[in-house]
Amino acid sequence: MIVQMKKMDLLLYHREKEAFLEKLRDLGVVHITESEAAKESHLVQDLAGVVHLTERVITSLKKIQAEEKIAPESRDLGDPMELLHRFDDLESKKDKLEQDIAVLQKDRQALEPWGDFDPKRLRLLEEAGITMRLFVMPAKKFDTVNWSEYILEVVNRGEASVHFVVLERGEKSDVPEAEEQRIPEYSLSELDQKISDLKTKLSKTEKSLRKMVACISQLEAFHAQRLNQLKYEKARHSLKSEAEGKLLSLSGWFPDANEKSLSQFLNKFPAWYSFRDPLVDEDVPVKLKNRNFPTLFEPITGMYSLPSYNELDVTPFMAPFFALFFGLCLGDVGYGLILLIGAIIGRAKVSAKLRPVMSLGIFLGIATIVSGFLLNTFFGQTIFGGPGIEEHAIFPVGVQIFAPLSAQVGPAGQVFPAMNLALLLGVIQMLVGIAMQSRNRMRTSGFLAGLQPVSTMLMIMGGFVWAAHVDLLELGIGEFTVGPVGIGAMLLAIPEAIGMGVTILGLVTLFLFNNIDKKIYIRPLTGLWDFYNFLTGILQTLLSYLRLFALGLASGLLGGAFNQIAFMFIETNGEINYFSWGLIGTVLILVLGHSLNLILSAISAFVHPLRLTFVEFYGAIGFRGGSKPYIPFAKVER
């Protein structure tokens, strides 16, 4: 949920400025409204530059520490600002050396077919009136040319091309269909020496960078110090002078729960203050406060944008869908176990800051394991056998009980219950989003404004009941099932008249309350446009959710393909021989294949539910977002 905020307006006696700011920072509950003076202050800009530079250097040093596996060490290596500039210089030098090496290696690659010769001797020949020209030509064309008129020597002949030289005296002649090469400045051995020298310099530079890893702790302390100074200067410049400098004004935001403690604090100073609730159009900083499971998904909410202050927090509603979608996209018990074990081990080893990420990984691993059982796959292998399961299974029975979403072969061909589940989840998430949109509109614009989303919900629910009864477009909605659950039968159990009535009520509501700020005789016309968008949009939205089924299916099929390829190494005449030397190849294919499949599938399983959340779900909500986070004026500890 979104924490309730209050606005603080303050007038302070000017001589209390420094003491007030120090104590306010210790209290740490007020998000100060930054003034233009604070944004334009040269001191604030300089401090912000130092803070950003320090953050970048610390991140780079930690990356070097992780890549080089350098043991943690803390040493004072001198003035922090000098260290930052030294790192910048070393990093620039390293980049320049790497670029120079790459250029020389490219030159060496081009020169290698010509062999190791001294270009200076060619220039001596030129001074004597003899020109040696270097050419490259496709081998097939080279053999078709009459070279009797040229003094020519083939230097290197490959399958694709021929490198040759032509000696001339006087004017240059035309060499047909050949590409002339420039004479290099250095010989091959000289290039090798230059590359070696640069690599030596690069090694020394990298060694100097590795030594700087020891100052990470020192730079973190410096970063905290400068960040605190930056916050203090922003707060100081946000105090506006009033009454010819005798008074200072300040405004900010604080959580409603801190009103009593803030009031007691302000009463200790010669100050006038007032607290009030936010106005509708004010830019209020947002603080999310969820418990347990939804809290882990707050970083995902922040990846797109924080909700506006007057909106519902989407996190508790998004979290279960995202976890379920991730599990369905990855959908393998084996892969889920790897994620779960990896996240449990990681949570025990990482810092407290990263533990929520590992906890999120635990939940996503569990969701993948559950989905894997439902989809009937373990590292691409079928787990449970039974009616409709033609492939070899680990257990001969149990598919109907433990894996209701397993693909099965029926009288009409192969059936994929997971595809129907994906469509059902799309409808459910869409209805939840529309209900949230209605609630948001009612909170900000009144009851009537929230009726337009309600009309959409009524048309969807009533429309499905009516479509099931009349078998609309022969879609078979009345026969729609998800595993053993007959969704279509449930719709048919509702009388057709009720479905038709709910649909008509939705249409009437849409035409009358679609844009309450417009005249009532205009609304039916705008309602027609909204109805057209509804008809075209609902199909597009529902089809987007099929990616949940498609990705899960692709992951399972690819895993099964790796299994099939791997066991070919130890299969003879349909029999598996585990004592064959081919077992090494089997193990390699299984490990490498499933590792690749896990990585690719996990990326897809994260990205596509993210897309469904930010595009389809947020679209159904009418998500506005754009709020800045609540960051109180408080001292930062290292």
Side-chain angles (χ1 to χ4, degrees), residues 97-113 182 186-188 190-200 202:
L97 287 169
E98 288 176 339
Q99 290 172 9
D100 291 344
I101 290 171
V103 170
L104 290 178
Q105 286 177 333
K106 186 176 180 181
D107 290 344
R108 190 194 186 285
Q109 186 178 4
L111 185 58
E112 190 172 13
R182 66 177 180 85
Y186 306 104
S187 67
L188 202 60
E190 287 175 329
L191 279 178
D192 286 338
Q193 184 60 48
K194 284 180 176 293
I195 291 171
S196 177
D197 293 342
L198 289 178
K199 284 185 175 181
T200 300
L202 178 61

Side-chain angles (χ1 to χ4, degrees), residues 75-84 86 215 218-219 222:
R75 289 205 313 268
D76 190 329
L77 299 182
D79 181 67
M81 285 304 301
E82 291 182 3
L83 290 174
L84 294 175
R86 188 195 308 171
C215 73
Q218 181 185 356
L219 290 179
F222 177 74

Side-chain angles (χ1 to χ4, degrees), residues 564-589:
Q564 188 174 2
I565 294 170
F567 282 98
M568 286 180 180
F569 286 88
I570 57 174
E571 184 177 352
T572 306
N573 298 325
E575 296 292 330
I576 301 295
N577 180 13
Y578 290 102
F579 298 98
S580 168
W581 285 105
L583 186 63
I584 297 174
T586 298
V587 172
L588 285 175
I589 294 294

Side-chain angles (χ1 to χ4, degrees), residues 11 168 171 187 206 248 269 313 325 327 331 341 356 366 397 405 435 444 497 513 538 587 593 633:
L11 286 174
E168 297 175 330
E171 294 184 3
S187 67
E206 290 175 336
L248 298 170
F269 290 88
D313 178 13
F325 292 171
I341 294 170
I366 293 172
V397 295
L405 300 182
T444 57
F513 301 103
I538 187 172
V587 172
F633 177 49

Side-chain angles (χ1 to χ4, degrees), residues 327-332 370-377 383 402-407 417-418 421 548-549 552-553:
L328 288 174
C329 286
L330 195 51
D332 188 284
V370 173
S371 298
F373 274 112
L374 295 175
L375 294 170
N376 201 19
T377 175
I383 304 174
F402 302 108
L405 300 182
S406 175
L421 176 65
L548 301 175
F549 156 71
L553 179 64

